[in-house]
Amino acid sequence: MTTGFSSNSCRFADYFVICGLDTESGLEPDELSGENFEQSPLRRTFKSKVLAHYPENVEWSPFDQDAVGMLCMPKGLAFRTQADTREPQFHSFIITREDGSRTYGFALTFYEEVTSKQICSAMQTLYHMHNAEQYDILHTPTTPRCPEDQRHLHPHPLNPHPQHTLLPTPSISRLQRFNSYDISRDTLYVSKCICLIAPMAFPQACRKVLQQLHQAVSSPQPPPLPLESYVYNILYEVPLPPAGRSLKFSGVYGPVVCQRPSTAELPLFDFPISQVFELLGVENVLQLFTCALLEIQILLYSQHYQRLMTVAESITALMFPFQWQHVYVPILPASLLHFLDAPVPYLMGLHSNGEGDRTKLELPQEANLCFVDIDNHFIELPEDLPLFPNKLEFIQEISEVLLAFGVSPEGNPLHSQGQAKHWGFRSTDMVTDRRNGNLASSPLNSYLLRENETIARLQALVKRTGVMGILVTPVDASSNKDLKVQCDEEELKMHQLNIQVREVFANRFTQMFADYEVFVIQPSQDKESWFSNRDQMQNFDKASFLSDQPEPYLPFLSRFLETQMFASFIDSKILCHDDEDKEHTLRVFDSRVDKIRMLNVRTPTLRTSMYQTCTNIDEAEKAIEMRVVKIDHTALHPHLLDMKIGQGRYEHGFFPRLQSDVLSTGPVSNKWAKRSAPAQWRRKDRQKQHAEHLYLDNDQREKYIQEARNLGTTIRQPKLSNLSPSVIAQTNWKFVEGLLKECRNKTKRMLVEKMGREAVELGHGEVSITGVEENTLIASLCDLLERIWSHGLQVKQGKSALWSHLLHYQESKEKTDAAPAGLERRKSDAGAALPPLKVSLIRDMRHIQNIGEIKTDVGKARAWVRLSMEKKLLSRHLKKLLSDHELTKKLYKRYAFLRCDDEKEQFLYHLLSFNAVDYFCFTNVFTTIMIPYHVLVIPSKKLGGSMFTANPWVCVSGELAETGVLQIPKHTQEITFECQNLGKLTTVQMGHDNSGLYAKWLVEYVMVRNEITGHAYKFPCGRWLGKGVDDGSLERVLVGELVTPNSENEDRMCRTPPMQQSPGMMRRFVTISPNSKPKLNTGQIQEGVGEAINGIVKHFHKPEKERGSLTLLLCGEYGLVWALDQVFQHGFKSPRLFKNVFIWDFLEKSQVYFESAEQREVTPDENWQTRVCHFCQFMRAINSTSRNIGKDGKFQMLVCLGARDHLLHHWIALLADCPITVQMYEDTALIKDRSLVNSLIRVLQTLQEFNITLEASLVKGIGI
C-alpha cells in the first residue's frame, strides 16, 4: 500500500542499480549478518557493495546507498559452486523514509562466475583453515549433533577424505559439508543483483524488465541493442501510467504492460494476493489481518524475500481505508536484528535460512507477538485475540472468490512456487496447539481439520463447488474470449482475483463503519489549538458508537477504536472538510459509505449483525478489463544512443558496468516531462495526478498530521544504515521517551474514562465507559507493561518478561527469608472488626499461581496486573519489585527503560494515579475461580450477644452467584469459607433457628471480605432478630456496600465518592439513627421518592455492563422501599402505649376489607377488580411463605414485587380510596391528600418502561 509518495517523480523508475562483489576490496566477512564462523566458507556471508547506480542522483528522491545495498542483498554476497542450484531470484523491497514516504525497489539476483584469481584463492585458503579446525573438532569426542541440522544441505558428490569413513555418520556428513571447494576442479560463482528503484509498486512489470535484461546477457545471442539503450529507455522514456490508464512499453524481448487504478477505485496494488492465501490459508490470513488491525507486533518468517514482501504488502493493502502507522520493515536486513527489541508495534519480515527451527529463534518479547512462519503454513497468535466480526460468513465469502479462481481456501503451500518444507510437523503437537488456525491438508490427519468448524465448512464448500484439493480447475475464461487482452492471461487473472478479494475486505469496513461520520467529534477551537492539545482530545465518540454495535462485535471493535490507525483515519477526516482536499483513500471510502447509506435509506442508523456481501465486484473488475483491452499509452521504443564506438560491448554471461555518461541525464525535450505550462502549475497538476498516492497534498497539513500522530510512537521507522553503538543508544533513548509518553497518555485516558466528570469538563461530552471498553484499556495497559519489561532484556526467559522478573524476585526473596518480606499491615476501615490483610507482592503472586485456570506466563502476568489494579497496589508492588537493584542490574542492559531512574520514577507516579478510582478488573474477569471469603457478624455493643443461645446462619449473594446457607459458630460469630467467585457482593440473608432460652439477637452489621482482592463489604442491620421483639423477624435481607479503605499513610479519605452511591440529597435531613423514626414533612418525602425513582431510572439508562446493584437502589439506604415506608409512616396514627403497630398491619386490614368487598360484589369497575385481585394475591403469597421474615421484611418484599410487576401505582390508588385509611391515618397524612397522591402515582408510573429483575434473595419462597 502506498502511504506517502515522492510526488515529483513521474518517471516509471528513478534509478537502475547494480550490486555485487567488489573485486578491488576483496572478501570482507559480514559480521553484522550474524553468521557464525563454524559455517563452511561457502555458507558464510560476505559484504556486498553497490557497484554502480544510474543516474547519480535525482532531486525528488535522493539515492540512499546504505538502504539500497542492504535491501538488494539483505544477506550479503552468496557463493556457489557448479554443484549447487543457481536459479535467479526476484524480490521486491520498500524503503520508508523517516517522514513516512516510500520508494520501492525491485531486485533480480543471479550468479556469475568468479573470474578473479585472488578471490578464488582466498576462498581456497578459507577452506584449508576451516577444514583444519573441523578436523580437530572431529577428533575430540563430542556428542554428535542431530542429523536434522544437515537437512538443508545439498549432498556434495566430493568426499576427499575417504579414510574417515569409519567415523559415525553425523561426522562424515559434517566433513562432506565443509570440504566442498577445490580450486583445481570447482568453478566458483558469486551472486550479483540488478535493481530498479521506482516511486510506485509495479512488481509484475519490473520483474519482466529485469528478467529480460538478465536474459540479454545470459543468452548466446547478443540483444538487438546495447543494454544501455534499454536502461535509458526505462529511466527516462517510460512515464508512470496516469491514474485510470494503462501503459505499454518495450523490454529487451517483449512488451510490458502496466495499469493504474483511477481516483475512484481502490489504490494501486500489484502483488499477487492469491499467493498469500495459498501460503497461509484463509483462516490464518484472517487471524493475521486481525492482529495487524489491532496493531499487535507482527513478525513474518520465510526463506523467500519475495514472500515476506507479498504477505506484508497484501495485509496492509487489505486494511483499506486504514493505514499501518508504525514501524514497517517487510525485509529486515540481518544487520538490523536488534530492531526486534523495539518496544513498539511493528510489522517486520525476518529471513530464515531454511534450517533453524522456530524454537532456535531468540525473540526479545513474545507476550504480544503474532509470529507467522510463512513457509510452514503456521501462525502463532497472542492470547485473547478477539474474533473479527462475522468471521465465519466473511471466511465463506472470501473462500467463494478463491474457489472461483481455483485457489484452495485451506491454503496449499506445496504448490505455491518454491516448495516449503514440512518437516518438524507432528500431529500430536498440532492437537495441543489450539492457536494454530489451520494447516495444510497434506501433513495432517483429517480428524485434526474436523475439529475446526471453519475448515469443515470450507471442505463442504469445496465439495459443493466441485473443486477438489489441488486438482483445481482454472477459471473459465469464456467471459474474456471476445476480448483481445493486451497482457497475458495469468496477469489478468491475478488482477481480477486481487480486486475481488480486496473489494470483499473493503466492503467489511464500509458496512461496519457506514455511519462513522455521525460520531466524529469536530473540534470546537481553531486548528492551531487543536494541534497543541491533540493528545488530550477525543476525536471520536467511542462509547456511543459501540453502544450501537451488535454485542459480538464489541471485543474487536472496542480494541480497534483505540488504535493509532483509527485515530489517524479520523484525524484526516477532521482535517479535510471538502471533497477537494480529501486524501484519496478517504474520498473513495466516503463515496462507498454514501452508496450504502442510500441503499439503506429506510433504516439509516440501525446496525444489525446481518452479514451483507460485497456487491461492487463486477464494476471494479470491468474497469481493469477495459484498461487491459485498450491500452491508453505506449511509451517510446528503445533506440540507439549516441555512444562512442566500442562502447556497449559486453561479455557473454556477465552483467557489465554500463556507460554512466550516456545514462547520467535524460533527453532534453520530452513530451511528458516538459510542459508549456509554468513549473508551479505543472507541479500542482502532477500532484493531482498522484492524489491517490499522496498522503495529503497540503505540505503543512502533512506536517501537522505527522506531529499529531507521532504522539505514542516517537520512532516511526528505523534508519537503514550500518549502525554504530551511538546510533543504537540514541534509538533506545527514543524508545524510552516513547514508552514514558505512551504510559502518560494511557493512564490519563483510563482515568478520564473512569471518572467521567473530568471528561465532561475537558469538553469530551458525557463519557460513560462500558465493561468491554474498560477491559480493552486494561489489556492495552498490560501490553504496554510487557513492552516496557521486555526492553533491554539481557536474556529472554519465558514469553512474559514481567512474569519472569516477578518469578526471579519471588525466588530471591524466598531464599533470603522464609517469611515473605514487605508485610506492612493495611489499616482497615472496619476498625477492630476485621484483622487487616497484609500487603505483600509475593502473596498476590501466590494467589495467581494457585489459580489453575491460568496456564501461561502471559496470562499470569495479566492476572497479577488486574489484581494489583483492583487492590490499588500496582504502583506500590512495581516499586517494590524494582527496588531490588541487584536483580534489575542482573536482568537488564544499561539502556533498558527499567534502569533509567528518572523515567522509572515518573512511570510509577503515573501508575499511582489509578488509586483514585475503583477497578473490579480482577473480580469481573476471573468469574469461575475459587475465592476465600471471611464473614464477621457484629452484634450490638449495648446489648451484647453473649447470652444469645440460638444457632445463627448467613447466606451471601453477589452479582455472579450465592453461597447457600452457611452456619456460623455462635461464640465467635465469624467464619471463613471458600466458594466460586461471587462477583461484587449485593445482599446477605441472615437469621437463626430460634432455639434455646434466649433467642433474641440485636445485630449492628455484618462484614464480608474477599480474601484475595481485599474488598470488604458492610451490611448494616441495626434491628433485632427474634420472636416477640421488633417486628418479630427471625431472618432479614441486608443490603451492603463496598467499604473504602483509608489511604495507607493518613486517615484522610483520598478517593472519589464510593461507587453506586444512592441519591445523595436525603443525607441532609436524615441524621437521626435508623431506629428512632425520623419525622419528615411531605415535601421531603416527595423528594425522597423522586430521588429513589431517579436512581432506578439512571440505572437503566447505563449500558448493561456498567450498571451497579439494583438491589441497593430498591432496598438500600434511601432506596425505594425506604421512600415508600416514609409515605405510609406519614400521619400514621400513634398506637396505644407499649403496642407497636406496623404498616404491614394496615395493609393486612386493607386486604381483609378488599376481600370482603369483592365477595359483596361492590365493584366500581372491572379495572378496580383486577387491581384488588392482584393486591390480595400478593399479600396472601407473602403471608403464606415459609420464611420467618418479620413485618418490615414482608413490606420490603411487597414493594419489590410491586416494582417488578409494575403494580405499585395501582396499589397506592387503591389504598388512598380505602375506608381503612380513614380510620388509621390523621387528616393531614400524605396518603389522604388527593393532589400529593396523584403526583406520587405519576412518579411511580415512570418505572413501567423498565424490566426490573429481582435478586433471588429478595423473593425467596414466593411463587409468583
PDB file of all heavy atoms in Angstrom, residues 575-592:
ATOM      1  N   LEU A 575      -9.564  16.950   9.324  1.00  0.00           N
ATOM      2  CA  LEU A 575      -8.784  17.975   8.628  1.00  0.00           C
ATOM      3  C   LEU A 575      -9.277  18.272   7.218  1.00  0.00           C
ATOM      4  O   LEU A 575      -8.952  19.290   6.650  1.00  0.00           O
ATOM      5  CB  LEU A 575      -7.318  17.541   8.553  1.00  0.00           C
ATOM      6  CG  LEU A 575      -6.592  17.654   9.894  1.00  0.00           C
ATOM      7  CD1 LEU A 575      -5.264  16.948   9.822  1.00  0.00           C
ATOM      8  CD2 LEU A 575      -6.407  19.110  10.273  1.00  0.00           C
ATOM      9  N   CYS A 576     -10.030  17.325   6.634  1.00  0.00           N
ATOM     10  CA  CYS A 576     -10.473  17.542   5.253  1.00  0.00           C
ATOM     11  C   CYS A 576     -11.939  17.917   5.266  1.00  0.00           C
ATOM     12  O   CYS A 576     -12.768  17.040   5.514  1.00  0.00           O
ATOM     13  CB  CYS A 576     -10.348  16.255   4.438  1.00  0.00           C
ATOM     14  SG  CYS A 576      -8.764  15.528   4.596  1.00  0.00           S
ATOM     15  N   HIS A 577     -12.242  19.129   4.994  1.00  0.00           N
ATOM     16  CA  HIS A 577     -13.661  19.491   5.045  1.00  0.00           C
ATOM     17  C   HIS A 577     -14.363  19.212   3.729  1.00  0.00           C
ATOM     18  O   HIS A 577     -15.383  18.574   3.677  1.00  0.00           O
ATOM     19  CB  HIS A 577     -13.825  20.940   5.480  1.00  0.00           C
ATOM     20  CG  HIS A 577     -13.454  21.106   6.915  1.00  0.00           C
ATOM     21  ND1 HIS A 577     -14.078  20.401   7.919  1.00  0.00           N
ATOM     22  CD2 HIS A 577     -12.498  21.834   7.507  1.00  0.00           C
ATOM     23  CE1 HIS A 577     -13.528  20.709   9.082  1.00  0.00           C
ATOM     24  NE2 HIS A 577     -12.565  21.568   8.859  1.00  0.00           N
ATOM     25  N   ASP A 578     -13.763  19.677   2.642  1.00  0.00           N
ATOM     26  CA  ASP A 578     -14.444  19.461   1.359  1.00  0.00           C
ATOM     27  C   ASP A 578     -13.783  18.313   0.610  1.00  0.00           C
ATOM     28  O   ASP A 578     -12.671  17.923   0.893  1.00  0.00           O
ATOM     29  CB  ASP A 578     -14.386  20.737   0.521  1.00  0.00           C
ATOM     30  CG  ASP A 578     -13.005  21.322   0.548  1.00  0.00           C
ATOM     31  OD1 ASP A 578     -12.191  20.839   1.372  1.00  0.00           O
ATOM     32  OD2 ASP A 578     -12.701  22.233  -0.230  1.00  0.00           O
ATOM     33  N   ASP A 579     -14.507  17.806  -0.377  1.00  0.00           N
ATOM     34  CA  ASP A 579     -14.016  16.654  -1.134  1.00  0.00           C
ATOM     35  C   ASP A 579     -12.690  16.949  -1.822  1.00  0.00           C
ATOM     36  O   ASP A 579     -11.892  16.059  -2.043  1.00  0.00           O
ATOM     37  CB  ASP A 579     -15.042  16.256  -2.203  1.00  0.00           C
ATOM     38  CG  ASP A 579     -15.944  15.165  -1.641  1.00  0.00           C
ATOM     39  OD1 ASP A 579     -15.743  14.833  -0.461  1.00  0.00           O
ATOM     40  OD2 ASP A 579     -16.820  14.679  -2.361  1.00  0.00           O
ATOM     41  N   GLU A 580     -12.471  18.221  -2.178  1.00  0.00           N
ATOM     42  CA  GLU A 580     -11.275  18.574  -2.941  1.00  0.00           C
ATOM     43  C   GLU A 580     -10.014  18.143  -2.205  1.00  0.00           C
ATOM     44  O   GLU A 580      -9.135  17.526  -2.768  1.00  0.00           O
ATOM     45  CB  GLU A 580     -11.224  20.104  -3.140  1.00  0.00           C
ATOM     46  CG  GLU A 580     -11.702  20.550  -4.492  1.00  0.00           C
ATOM     47  CD  GLU A 580     -10.995  19.829  -5.632  1.00  0.00           C
ATOM     48  OE1 GLU A 580      -9.849  20.194  -5.931  1.00  0.00           O
ATOM     49  OE2 GLU A 580     -11.577  18.894  -6.219  1.00  0.00           O
ATOM     50  N   ASP A 581      -9.924  18.514  -0.895  1.00  0.00           N
ATOM     51  CA  ASP A 581      -8.641  18.254  -0.235  1.00  0.00           C
ATOM     52  C   ASP A 581      -8.650  16.942   0.535  1.00  0.00           C
ATOM     53  O   ASP A 581      -7.803  16.696   1.351  1.00  0.00           O
ATOM     54  CB  ASP A 581      -8.259  19.428   0.667  1.00  0.00           C
ATOM     55  CG  ASP A 581      -9.308  19.677   1.741  1.00  0.00           C
ATOM     56  OD1 ASP A 581     -10.380  19.048   1.647  1.00  0.00           O
ATOM     57  OD2 ASP A 581      -9.054  20.484   2.650  1.00  0.00           O
ATOM     58  N   LYS A 582      -9.633  16.092   0.261  1.00  0.00           N
ATOM     59  CA  LYS A 582      -9.642  14.790   0.933  1.00  0.00           C
ATOM     60  C   LYS A 582      -8.539  13.916   0.364  1.00  0.00           C
ATOM     61  O   LYS A 582      -8.296  13.907  -0.832  1.00  0.00           O
ATOM     62  CB  LYS A 582     -10.985  14.083   0.704  1.00  0.00           C
ATOM     63  CG  LYS A 582     -11.950  14.272   1.838  1.00  0.00           C
ATOM     64  CD  LYS A 582     -13.133  13.343   1.646  1.00  0.00           C
ATOM     65  CE  LYS A 582     -14.337  13.873   2.409  1.00  0.00           C
ATOM     66  NZ  LYS A 582     -15.537  13.156   2.076  1.00  0.00           N
ATOM     67  N   GLU A 583      -7.929  13.176   1.234  1.00  0.00           N
ATOM     68  CA  GLU A 583      -6.931  12.210   0.808  1.00  0.00           C
ATOM     69  C   GLU A 583      -7.654  11.122  -0.001  1.00  0.00           C
ATOM     70  O   GLU A 583      -8.817  10.842   0.244  1.00  0.00           O
ATOM     71  CB  GLU A 583      -6.347  11.662   2.094  1.00  0.00           C
ATOM     72  CG  GLU A 583      -5.322  10.650   1.930  1.00  0.00           C
ATOM     73  CD  GLU A 583      -5.246   9.812   3.177  1.00  0.00           C
ATOM     74  OE1 GLU A 583      -5.644  10.296   4.254  1.00  0.00           O
ATOM     75  OE2 GLU A 583      -4.805   8.683   3.030  1.00  0.00           O
ATOM     76  N   HIS A 584      -6.908  10.499  -0.912  1.00  0.00           N
ATOM     77  CA  HIS A 584      -7.539   9.555  -1.835  1.00  0.00           C
ATOM     78  C   HIS A 584      -8.329   8.454  -1.124  1.00  0.00           C
ATOM     79  O   HIS A 584      -9.506   8.225  -1.400  1.00  0.00           O
ATOM     80  CB  HIS A 584      -6.463   8.929  -2.725  1.00  0.00           C
ATOM     81  CG  HIS A 584      -6.975   7.797  -3.558  1.00  0.00           C
ATOM     82  ND1 HIS A 584      -6.391   6.557  -3.564  1.00  0.00           N
ATOM     83  CD2 HIS A 584      -8.036   7.700  -4.385  1.00  0.00           C
ATOM     84  CE1 HIS A 584      -7.062   5.761  -4.368  1.00  0.00           C
ATOM     85  NE2 HIS A 584      -8.065   6.426  -4.880  1.00  0.00           N
ATOM     86  N   THR A 585      -7.697   7.760  -0.174  1.00  0.00           N
ATOM     87  CA  THR A 585      -8.392   6.632   0.475  1.00  0.00           C
ATOM     88  C   THR A 585      -9.678   7.108   1.128  1.00  0.00           C
ATOM     89  O   THR A 585     -10.705   6.443   1.052  1.00  0.00           O
ATOM     90  CB  THR A 585      -7.516   5.984   1.561  1.00  0.00           C
ATOM     91  OG1 THR A 585      -6.834   7.018   2.246  1.00  0.00           O
ATOM     92  CG2 THR A 585      -6.520   5.025   0.976  1.00  0.00           C
ATOM     93  N   LEU A 586      -9.601   8.282   1.757  1.00  0.00           N
ATOM     94  CA  LEU A 586     -10.780   8.797   2.457  1.00  0.00           C
ATOM     95  C   LEU A 586     -11.900   9.106   1.470  1.00  0.00           C
ATOM     96  O   LEU A 586     -13.069   8.811   1.705  1.00  0.00           O
ATOM     97  CB  LEU A 586     -10.382  10.052   3.235  1.00  0.00           C
ATOM     98  CG  LEU A 586     -11.432  10.577   4.193  1.00  0.00           C
ATOM     99  CD1 LEU A 586     -11.734   9.536   5.256  1.00  0.00           C
ATOM    100  CD2 LEU A 586     -10.951  11.858   4.861  1.00  0.00           C
ATOM    101  N   ARG A 587     -11.500   9.675   0.314  1.00  0.00           N
ATOM    102  CA  ARG A 587     -12.517  10.042  -0.674  1.00  0.00           C
ATOM    103  C   ARG A 587     -13.220   8.789  -1.188  1.00  0.00           C
ATOM    104  O   ARG A 587     -14.445   8.719  -1.267  1.00  0.00           O
ATOM    105  CB  ARG A 587     -11.865  10.815  -1.815  1.00  0.00           C
ATOM    106  CG  ARG A 587     -12.870  11.576  -2.656  1.00  0.00           C
ATOM    107  CD  ARG A 587     -12.224  12.598  -3.566  1.00  0.00           C
ATOM    108  NE  ARG A 587     -11.127  12.036  -4.341  1.00  0.00           N
ATOM    109  CZ  ARG A 587      -9.896  12.565  -4.355  1.00  0.00           C
ATOM    110  NH1 ARG A 587      -9.625  13.625  -3.638  1.00  0.00           N
ATOM    111  NH2 ARG A 587      -8.952  12.025  -5.092  1.00  0.00           N
ATOM    112  N   VAL A 588     -12.427   7.777  -1.519  1.00  0.00           N
ATOM    113  CA  VAL A 588     -13.014   6.534  -2.039  1.00  0.00           C
ATOM    114  C   VAL A 588     -13.915   5.903  -0.980  1.00  0.00           C
ATOM    115  O   VAL A 588     -15.038   5.476  -1.255  1.00  0.00           O
ATOM    116  CB  VAL A 588     -11.899   5.540  -2.447  1.00  0.00           C
ATOM    117  CG1 VAL A 588     -12.498   4.216  -2.879  1.00  0.00           C
ATOM    118  CG2 VAL A 588     -11.062   6.125  -3.575  1.00  0.00           C
ATOM    119  N   PHE A 589     -13.410   5.871   0.258  1.00  0.00           N
ATOM    120  CA  PHE A 589     -14.180   5.228   1.334  1.00  0.00           C
ATOM    121  C   PHE A 589     -15.500   5.964   1.560  1.00  0.00           C
ATOM    122  O   PHE A 589     -16.562   5.355   1.636  1.00  0.00           O
ATOM    123  CB  PHE A 589     -13.349   5.210   2.621  1.00  0.00           C
ATOM    124  CG  PHE A 589     -14.018   4.459   3.737  1.00  0.00           C
ATOM    125  CD1 PHE A 589     -14.173   3.075   3.666  1.00  0.00           C
ATOM    126  CD2 PHE A 589     -14.494   5.112   4.864  1.00  0.00           C
ATOM    127  CE1 PHE A 589     -14.791   2.376   4.695  1.00  0.00           C
ATOM    128  CE2 PHE A 589     -15.112   4.420   5.888  1.00  0.00           C
ATOM    129  CZ  PHE A 589     -15.263   3.046   5.802  1.00  0.00           C
ATOM    130  N   ASP A 590     -15.410   7.304   1.626  1.00  0.00           N
ATOM    131  CA  ASP A 590     -16.639   8.068   1.882  1.00  0.00           C
ATOM    132  C   ASP A 590     -17.663   7.883   0.779  1.00  0.00           C
ATOM    133  O   ASP A 590     -18.866   7.796   1.037  1.00  0.00           O
ATOM    134  CB  ASP A 590     -16.311   9.560   2.065  1.00  0.00           C
ATOM    135  CG  ASP A 590     -15.780   9.831   3.475  1.00  0.00           C
ATOM    136  OD1 ASP A 590     -15.787   8.885   4.289  1.00  0.00           O
ATOM    137  OD2 ASP A 590     -15.357  10.965   3.759  1.00  0.00           O
ATOM    138  N   SER A 591     -17.187   7.796  -0.469  1.00  0.00           N
ATOM    139  CA  SER A 591     -18.170   7.647  -1.554  1.00  0.00           C
ATOM    140  C   SER A 591     -18.865   6.283  -1.435  1.00  0.00           C
ATOM    141  O   SER A 591     -20.054   6.152  -1.711  1.00  0.00           O
ATOM    142  CB  SER A 591     -17.491   7.798  -2.915  1.00  0.00           C
ATOM    143  OG  SER A 591     -16.659   6.680  -3.132  1.00  0.00           O
ATOM    144  N   ARG A 592     -18.127   5.271  -0.958  1.00  0.00           N
ATOM    145  CA  ARG A 592     -18.747   3.955  -0.777  1.00  0.00           C
ATOM    146  C   ARG A 592     -19.737   3.956   0.373  1.00  0.00           C
ATOM    147  O   ARG A 592     -20.795   3.335   0.303  1.00  0.00           O
ATOM    148  CB  ARG A 592     -17.677   2.908  -0.503  1.00  0.00           C
ATOM    149  CG  ARG A 592     -16.903   2.607  -1.752  1.00  0.00           C
ATOM    150  CD  ARG A 592     -15.633   1.868  -1.461  1.00  0.00           C
ATOM    151  NE  ARG A 592     -15.011   1.629  -2.755  1.00  0.00           N
ATOM    152  CZ  ARG A 592     -14.722   0.438  -3.215  1.00  0.00           C
ATOM    153  NH1 ARG A 592     -14.942  -0.617  -2.500  1.00  0.00           N
ATOM    154  NH2 ARG A 592     -14.201   0.301  -4.405  1.00  0.00           N
TER     155      ARG A 592
END
